[in-house]
Amino acid sequence: MYSSSRSIIATLVLSTIIVGTPPLAGSESWSDFFRDLFSIADYESMIEDENKLTEQLNRKDVLILGRLTAKNKVIEALSEGKISFAEAAACFHFIQKETNDLLEISVKNFKTLPRETQCSINLLHWAKPSITLSGTQLDDYENFKLKVEIAECEGSTVELPLPPAYLIADFVN
């Protein structure tokens, strides 16, 4: 029985050599097979690179989720009338400034504007579908929107107050 299994293995090895098919799936030739077999250091560096990339993506995920949570808190405070639109834009500016090591804005024309103006535009895009405006809050929205549109056209900075501390406390170390 032992000799028959040896003969089967020998036949298998000889047939793969004669046919020219390498025994490892994914290898196109014998030279690729032996190069892959003996390049363990390359695999270690590839694994290290993948681990670094995974770590960077995990940090980015945490950062994005933190920003999303903070922005939702700001929108909630704005919808409850606790803060003005200018204060909300100041919060957006602070959140973007403190967490911008991994995230970048990709719209070409938007990138040339000052950060305060960018954050104000972001706020207007977030607030419009999220908040039902009425009375003084509607007036505040319209006045703020006018300021932002003027600043966007001129390429100037929207003047923002200091953000409320209770909304940005999570980002202050």
Side-chain angles (χ1 to χ4, degrees):
M1 179 162 182
Y2 182 69
S3 64
S4 66
S5 64
R6 276 196 329 190
S7 64
I8 291 173
I9 292 172
T11 306
L12 181 63
V13 169
L14 288 176
S15 65
T16 56
I17 292 173
I18 292 171
V19 173
T21 307
L24 184 64
S27 299
E28 294 181 16
S29 66
W30 282 100
S31 61
D32 289 343
F33 169 71
F34 285 115
R35 187 189 70 232
D36 292 343
L37 183 65
F38 294 112
S39 64
I40 293 175
D42 290 341
Y43 285 126
E44 289 174 355
S45 68
M46 287 171 54
I47 289 171
E48 287 175 17
D49 291 343
E50 290 295 323
N51 287 340
K52 287 177 186 174
L53 181 62
T54 301
E55 186 177 309
Q56 182 182 13
L57 289 174
N58 287 339
R59 284 187 318 149
K60 195 172 187 175
D61 286 347
V62 168
L63 185 69
I64 289 170
L65 289 174
R67 282 176 86 164
L68 183 61
T69 302
K71 287 182 177 182
N72 284 335
K73 278 177 155 178
V74 171
I75 293 295
E76 185 178 309
L78 186 62
S79 67
E80 293 172 357
K82 294 179 181 177
I83 60 174
S84 68
F85 277 90
E87 289 172 325
C91 289
F92 271 44
H93 178 256
F94 184 83
I95 293 166
Q96 181 180 347
K97 182 175 71 173
E98 290 299 313
T99 61
N100 211 29
D101 60 336
L102 294 173
L103 304 173
E104 195 58 45
I105 297 168
S106 60
V107 180
K108 295 175 190 171
N109 295 337
F110 198 63
K111 255 184 168 177
T112 60
L113 295 172
R115 293 227 181 228
E116 292 85 356
T117 307
Q118 292 176 17
C119 294
S120 299
I121 294 170
N122 281 335
L123 172 67
L124 291 175
H125 287 291
W126 271 59
K128 188 66 174 172
S130 303
I131 300 174
T132 53
L133 303 170
S134 62
T136 57
Q137 203 172 26
L138 182 60
D139 293 338
D140 184 32
Y141 174 79
E142 291 299 329
N143 291 337
F144 185 73
K145 183 178 177 184
L146 182 63
K147 283 183 196 176
V148 172
E149 287 174 350
I150 291 170
E152 184 179 5
C153 291
E154 294 175 352
S156 62
T157 302
V158 175
E159 295 298 322
L160 299 175
L162 289 175
Y166 72 95
L167 289 174
I168 59 167
D170 295 338
F171 288 97
V172 178
N173 292 333

